């Protein structure tokens, strides 16, 4: 069995330190689902946050606002925006049932923090 020489130990130590620095660097700038990775939990909005009269208007909301609704992530928010454009706007929150990925259980959560303002 070969013994590790002093200079080989130094090389191994430098290599391990270098790898540690790289892992911290890349861990810090890690990206998850196109967004910077964070350990913070996403807080879904509900009627306690908004109330029925102050909910998110799904006819004017941007992608980031739609993502605040419980159960709505980036992909579903993109589908909502596409459906809104195709339909010329939503007449009610229930119209979101036409969006792929939104079913009866998810619409219940969305209704707690969403509304539709109809154009005059």
């Amino acid at each position: 069995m070969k013994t590790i020489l002093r200079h080989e130990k130094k090389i191994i130590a430098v290599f391990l330190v270098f790898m540690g620095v790289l892992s911290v660097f890349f861990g810090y700038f890690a990206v998850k689902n196109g967004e910077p990775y964070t350990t913070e939990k996403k807080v879904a909005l509900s009627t306690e946050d908004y109330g029925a009269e102050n909910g998110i208007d799904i006819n004017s909301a941007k992608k980031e606002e739609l993502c605040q609704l419980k159960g709505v992530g980036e992909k579903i928010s993109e589908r909502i925006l596409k459906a809104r454009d195709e339909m010329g706007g939503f007449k009610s929150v229930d119209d979101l049932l036409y969006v792929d990925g939104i079913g009866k259980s998810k619409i219940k959560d969305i209704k707690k923090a969403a509304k539709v303002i109809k154009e005059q």
Side-chain angles (χ1 to χ4, degrees):
M1 181 179 216
K2 182 181 174 189
T3 59
I4 298 176
L5 302 175
R6 178 176 271 166
H7 74 278
E8 290 174 327
K9 288 181 183 178
K10 287 181 182 178
I11 292 172
I12 292 171
V14 168
F15 175 77
L16 291 175
V17 168
F18 177 73
M19 293 304 290
V21 169
L22 278 180
S23 66
V24 169
F25 177 79
F26 285 110
Y28 182 77
F29 293 105
V31 174
K32 183 178 180 182
N33 296 329
E35 295 292 323
Y37 180 77
T38 178
T39 56
E40 296 174 14
K41 289 190 175 187
K42 179 179 161 185
V43 178
L45 300 176
S46 67
T47 49
E48 291 83 32
D49 299 315
Y50 273 104
E53 67 279 350
N54 295 324
I56 294 175
D57 177 22
I58 58 174
N59 275 335
S60 63
K62 296 178 180 164
K63 180 179 174 180
E64 296 78 22
E65 294 169 307
L66 292 171
C67 286
Q68 294 177 345
L69 296 168
K70 186 174 181 182
V72 176
E74 286 189 35
K75 291 189 179 197
I76 291 181
S77 65
E78 289 171 1
R79 293 179 196 149
I80 291 171
L81 294 174
K82 182 178 178 187
R84 182 173 72 191
D85 291 342
E86 290 173 355
M87 297 171 70
F90 299 110
K91 293 182 176 97
S92 75
V93 177
D94 287 321
D95 287 346
L96 291 176
L97 288 169
Y98 295 109
V99 176
D100 187 36
I102 298 179
K104 290 180 182 180
S105 62
K106 192 173 285 190
I107 198 78
K108 288 178 187 176
D109 292 328
I110 292 172
K111 280 183 174 182
K112 293 177 183 176
K115 66 179 179 179
V116 171
I117 297 178
K118 298 175 184 167
E119 293 185 28
Q120 309 292 332

